[in-house]
Structure formats: structure tokens, C-alpha cells
Amino acid sequence: MRRRPWTLALAAAAVTVALAAPPAQAASPAPSPPPPPSAGVTEAARGFDPLLPSSDPVALREAYRPLAVTYSYEGQKHTLDDYLARTGTQGFVVLDRGDVVFERYVTTNRDTLFQSWSMAKSFTSAAIGIALGEGFIDSIDDPVTRYVPELKGSGYDGVSLRDLLRMSSGIQWTETYDVPFVHVAASLGYPLTELAKRRKRGWEPGTRFEYTSMNSFVLSWVVAKATGVPYHAYVQKKIWEPAGMASQAYLGNDSNGNSMGYCCYYATDRDFARFGLLYLNGGRANGRQVVPASWVTESTRPSASFNRGYGLQWWLGENGDFSANGLGGQLIWVSPRYGVVIVKSTLATVLAGEETDAAFEAIAAEVARTRTARTAAAH
């Protein structure tokens, strides 16, 4: 279990749960969170690559304050405490810009490494944007085979990076059934590159939305091939270090040198919050432009007429908010409107997950209200 925590629950849920899909319901929550990777084991083990803490971590100021959050959903009034309890939330962090104004852990703590599941896709998007800005990628309208010629003759042949990013690759894929097979195969050491080369064309790319985790793996493969360094090493140098992540994390791989890309970052909730803060600040951290501002804008707006709710590996809300979403209710939620970042981690949300938009909107509004009230009182 400790050597490969990113395979947790696959044996029971592999044929029924859409791993790494947008917020979904899992069959049954376990009583405690998955154990974090053991540093003494994972640094030498197959299946993980470490991400080292930044030499210049972004400071998060502790400025806790009461948040009187209530919201209505389907005619019923709820509170923040009620929402956290019913969703089985184990880690929860709320940032007012760079201030931690609310934080709670249940059977976990601030140092717990939570599994990202599909929140990883938004990190992969950031890596693509940085590689584009550095000139390693000329255009996201380039065919993927320009960077990964190994995919010639596969269903990905001729598919643009843009269509990979917006989940419109045309690949034959059913997330619910295909991801468990791929994930288990990778956990057993089968190369994800070989699985990608076996994908077939099912429909015309760029004509509809089909959530496909293999697209995100291929994007991480593009990063590695275009930059000439492994995906995890590029993430370390271009995201984890300059974005000021404070703790060591781990990134799952297929034991063949290929980062998974579509899932499996193990990090603290505060570092997930720092990633959200990076995007709230237009790609800047500690005075540095980490992700090109133009990429932050492009990737967090509608990417296609056939799906206004999805950007480039980011989910989009109705009020300008956007989020990185993972299996069972993992979220990095960013609200430029209110200047708020919310991170939620849980093994599985079974109840109340459909209320999340209403709950988070109410939290963000309350953070903004109390910020204004405190500023007025100070003057």
C-alpha cells in the first residue's frame, strides 16, 4: 500500500468508477485517508518521482477569521460545517489572496500528502503553457506527432495539441471503462506510451467534448519530448520551484520513466492552494512570471463552442471561477471575482457533492464581505 498509494481502491472500484473524471461519486468512502508515500521508500522506489520543496516558498499568512457561511440548495439551508461533514472533507483550505483565513483537517493534518487525481491535468496544462512560452512548442495548433512522432499511425495521428487540451481528440474512449484498465496497467509497470500508441480514432477531432484522461498523459509526453527533460523534472524546475511550493511532493509514474500526467500528484493542501494562488495572480509568484499570463487567460476561458464549461484542462464556472477537479471531490477552486482560492481534499464525496458550487460561492462571498468589513474597521 505504501509503495503505490496511487492505486488505492482500484481493485474494488476499477470497473465502476471513472477515475480522474470531473467530480464524481465513489462507491463507498474509506474511514481514513490514503497513507502518504514514505520518503524512505518512495525516493528509491519505482512508481514515484519526488518534487522537492522550493528554495523560495510562497508565504501564506495565517489570518484566520470567523466565516458565517450559509447557503441554500434545493430549498434547504446549509452551513459550512454541515457541508464539510456531509462531503467527508478531510482537508480544507481557504485563501483570501495570500492569507489563510480558514483551514480544517479531519483524520489528517497540514503535512498530509493528498492524492490529486485529475487535478493533475491542470498542472499539465501549466507545463504546456510554459513550454509554449519558452519556444519548445511553436503552437498548440501543431499536430501532436510533430513532438511525439511515435504516435504516427495511431488514433492520435494528426490531432492538434489544442484538441488534446480541450478534450476533443476523437479517440475511441469511455472514461468509466478505459481509465481503470490503463491505470491498473500502468501501476503494474506497463508503459503508458505503448497504451497511447494503441488508441484508435473514433470520431472527427475538434467536433465534440469527450473527457479522456489519455489525452492528458499524451500532453505530459509532449512536454518531455519537446523540452528534452522528463515531465517531472520540468515540473520541478518550471512550476514547483518558481511557484514557491513549500513541501516535498510525489508524482506517480508508470515505472518506465513516464509521468502519468493525468493524475497522481501527492501534495499538501497548502501547496495545492499555492497553485491556485499562482493562477489567481495571473501566473505570478514571488514577483516572478511562472506561467505566461496569456496562457492563464486562454486556458481558463471556454475552449470550444461545443463545451462552454471547459477550458484547456480547467473546468469553468458561471461567474468567472475555474477549478482543477479530481475524483471523488478533490478541488482547487479559484475565484478571480472574489480573490479567493479554496482547496478541498477527501477520499470520496458521496453526499452533498452536487452542492459544491453553491457552497463555494457562499464561502467566497463571505470571505470578500469580511475582508471589506475589516478594511473599513481599520480606517
Side-chain angles (χ1 to χ4, degrees):
M1 183 70 75
R2 286 187 175 273
R3 290 196 66 206
R4 295 183 186 277
W6 43 277
T7 64
L8 183 74
L10 281 178
V15 297
T16 58
V17 177
L19 291 177
Q25 293 185 346
S28 59
S32 61
S38 167
V41 172
T42 54
E43 290 184 16
R46 301 172 67 202
F48 292 99
D49 290 301
L51 297 173
L52 303 179
S54 173
S55 60
D56 185 20
V58 167
L60 298 178
R61 188 173 74 99
E62 293 181 4
Y64 304 118
R65 60 180 186 253
L67 298 178
V69 176
T70 60
Y71 64 96
S72 295
Y73 183 78
E74 293 187 342
Q76 298 292 318
K77 188 174 182 179
H78 302 286
T79 66
L80 175 56
D81 285 345
D82 173 48
Y83 171 80
L84 295 178
R86 289 188 300 121
T87 55
T89 298
Q90 294 167 318
F92 199 74
V93 177
V94 180
L95 297 186
D96 179 359
R97 300 180 178 127
D99 290 347
V100 181
V101 296
F102 184 93
E103 188 170 35
R104 180 174 296 176
Y105 298 97
V106 177
T107 68
T108 61
N109 58 55
R110 189 181 298 173
D111 298 322
T112 297
L113 301 184
F114 291 99
Q115 161 68 288
S116 71
W117 296 117
S118 258
M119 296 193 309
K121 292 177 169 65
S122 300
F123 285 88
T124 296
S125 173
I128 287 284
I130 295 168
L132 180 69
E134 291 188 323
F136 291 112
I137 295 171
D138 286 336
S139 169
I140 62 171
D141 291 312
D142 286 342
V144 65
T145 46
R146 176 173 177 180
Y147 304 97
V148 187
E150 292 90 335
L151 289 173
K152 289 180 179 178
S154 76
Y156 281 110
D157 199 346
V159 177
S160 70
L161 300 184
R162 184 183 301 276
D163 281 335
L164 295 176
L165 286 158
R166 63 183 181 174
M167 295 296 186
S168 186
S169 65
I171 297 304
Q172 288 181 4
W173 186 269
T174 302
E175 187 78 3
T176 306
Y177 302 106
D178 289 323
V179 170
F181 169 78
V182 166
H183 198 80
V184 170
S187 75
L188 296 175
Y190 194 85
L192 280 166
T193 50
E194 293 303 312
L195 292 171
K197 286 189 277 187
R198 290 169 51 186
R199 304 319 305 178
K200 305 297 183 183
R201 179 69 56 81
W203 43 278
E204 182 64 26
T207 60
R208 74 174 198 236
F209 177 84
E210 186 69 47
Y211 192 84
T212 302
S213 284
M214 183 59 78
N215 293 346
S216 303
F217 164 70
V218 170
L219 288 168
S220 68
W221 194 5
V222 167
V223 169
K225 294 282 287 186
T227 64
V229 298
Y231 171 85
H232 75 274
Y234 194 71
V235 168
Q236 172 73 60
K237 183 177 181 180
K238 299 298 181 178
I239 299 177
W240 217 255
E241 168 64 29
M245 305 309 186
S247 300
Q248 180 157 315
Y250 295 92
L251 181 54
N253 64 54
D254 65 358
S255 300
N256 290 276
N258 304 300
S259 296
M260 305 188 91
Y262 65 88
C263 85
C264 305
Y265 279 72
Y266 272 82
T268 66
D269 270 356
R270 284 197 172 199
D271 277 342
F272 285 137
R274 286 180 172 92
F275 185 64
L277 185 63
L278 175 70
Y279 268 66
L280 179 66
N281 291 333
R284 294 183 64 81
N286 282 341
R288 298 181 291 261
Q289 192 70 45
V290 179
V291 181
S294 57
W295 184 257
V296 172
T297 299
E298 183 172 4
S299 60
T300 59
R301 65 186 180 191
S303 57
S305 59
F306 46 78
N307 186 5
R308 307 291 296 176
Y310 199 75
L312 303 178
Q313 308 278 288
W314 287 90
W315 292 91
L316 311 180
E318 295 181 354
N319 296 302
D321 55 274
F322 52 92
S323 61
N325 297 8
L327 171 69
Q330 322 302 320
L331 283 165
I332 303 171
W333 187 86
V334 182
S335 173
R337 175 188 179 191
Y338 289 116
V340 169
V341 174
I342 301 174
V343 171
K344 172 179 174 286
S345 290
T346 177
L347 187 59
T349 287
V350 177
L351 301 175
E354 71 281 357
E355 299 173 21
T356 293
D357 286 345
F360 280 24
E361 181 76 13
I363 294 166
E366 175 66 1
V367 170
R369 185 193 70 79
T370 54
R371 178 200 308 142
T372 301
R374 285 174 173 250
T375 301
H379 293 286

